[in-house]
Structures are given as C-alpha cells and as structure tokens.
Amino acid sequence: MGFAEFTKTAVRNLFSKPATKNYPKVKKEFFENARGHVIFDETDCIYCSLCARKCPADAIKVDRNAKTWSIVRAGCVQCSNCVDACPKKCLSMGPEYTPVMTEKGCETYARVPDNTEDN
Ligand code: SF4
Ligand code: SF4
C-alpha cells in the first residue's frame, strides 16, 4: 500500500463509525430464527425423553417419575434437535444467547403439582 492510499484509509477510518458494537451498552439485535437458547414449556410435557435421546450433546435429562426436565446450558450447542423431536411442542428456540456463567450448572424445571384433584 502506497503512502497516499494509506493516508486515505487512515483518514477514512478516523471519521467513520466503528465496525464493532459498544457491548454491553449497545446490545446485539438478533436475526429472525436465531438459535440462542432452548425454552422449555412444561405445560404439555409428557416426560417421554425423546428430546434427551435426540440431543447430541447429552445436555438434557428427563426424569419421568419425578416429573423433572433439566438442561446443562453450557453443554447445549443450539442444534435444535430437541425442538424438532418433541411431539408435544414443549420446546422452542429463543433468540438470545445464554448469559455468561461461571459454573457449569444444570437448570431443572419441576412440574408444579396439580392440587385440583385434592378437593
Ligand atoms: S420430547 Fe417434549 S414431551 Fe417429551 S420429554 Fe422432551 S419436552 Fe417433554
Ligand atoms: S438444542 Fe441441541 S444440543 Fe441443545 S439441548 Fe437441544 S438437542 Fe441438545
């Protein structure tokens, strides 16, 4: 690159907007159908374990007896296999990425007992 070209580029960069975002002040806008994280809706879950069986990262655990559904978010690779496999449409992909974590924890969702039959 010649001196004249270099100067032109330097001056242009001096007055143009930065190519990067000022994160976290400026948040990223997610594109449509972005696969950020798995969302679980327990309402219709039948604890069949199909999602866990289809997960290539072994990130999902389902306990049919205890009626719990768990995910290790740090292990999930956002492939969406579990979403496609669920026969009850309990799973979906949210666009935002999982927040940064310091420990590889397991997130567990337990079925809230239905007390309407007690009365
Ligand atoms: S595949 Fe769907 S219904 Fe079956 S355990 Fe997973 S989330 Fe529940
Ligand atoms: S999106 Fe893929 S890696 Fe993540 S929990 Fe579902 S099947 Fe497993």
Side-chain angles (χ1 to χ4, degrees), residues 60-106:
I60 298 177
K61 295 277 176 281
V62 179
D63 187 330
R64 185 188 281 259
N65 295 326
K67 297 216 179 325
T68 57
W69 186 94
S70 311
I71 184 167
V72 177
R73 297 234 177 246
C76 174
V77 295
Q78 286 88 30
C79 68
S80 194
N81 273 6
C82 55
V83 176
D84 297 340
C86 179
K88 303 298 281 182
K89 307 273 179 257
C90 302
L91 301 172
S92 57
M93 297 300 294
E96 315 85 27
Y97 300 123
T98 304
V100 175
M101 55 187 87
T102 52
E103 284 177 28
K104 193 179 167 186
C106 184

Side-chain angles (χ1 to χ4, degrees), residues 17-71:
K17 280 185 176 177
T20 52
K21 288 195 191 315
N22 187 16
Y23 185 84
K25 257 192 196 164
V26 180
K27 295 275 198 273
K28 180 179 170 59
E29 281 177 28
F30 295 97
F31 56 88
E32 200 183 346
N33 298 331
R35 294 176 181 177
H37 71 289
V38 176
I39 298 171
F40 172 62
D41 178 2
E42 65 165 36
T43 318
D44 295 323
C45 182
I46 52 174
Y47 301 95
C48 63
S49 289
L50 259 178
C51 51
R53 270 183 267 150
K54 292 285 183 178
C55 178
D58 202 21
I60 298 177
K61 295 277 176 281
V62 179
D63 187 330
R64 185 188 281 259
N65 295 326
K67 297 216 179 325
T68 57
W69 186 94
S70 311
I71 184 167

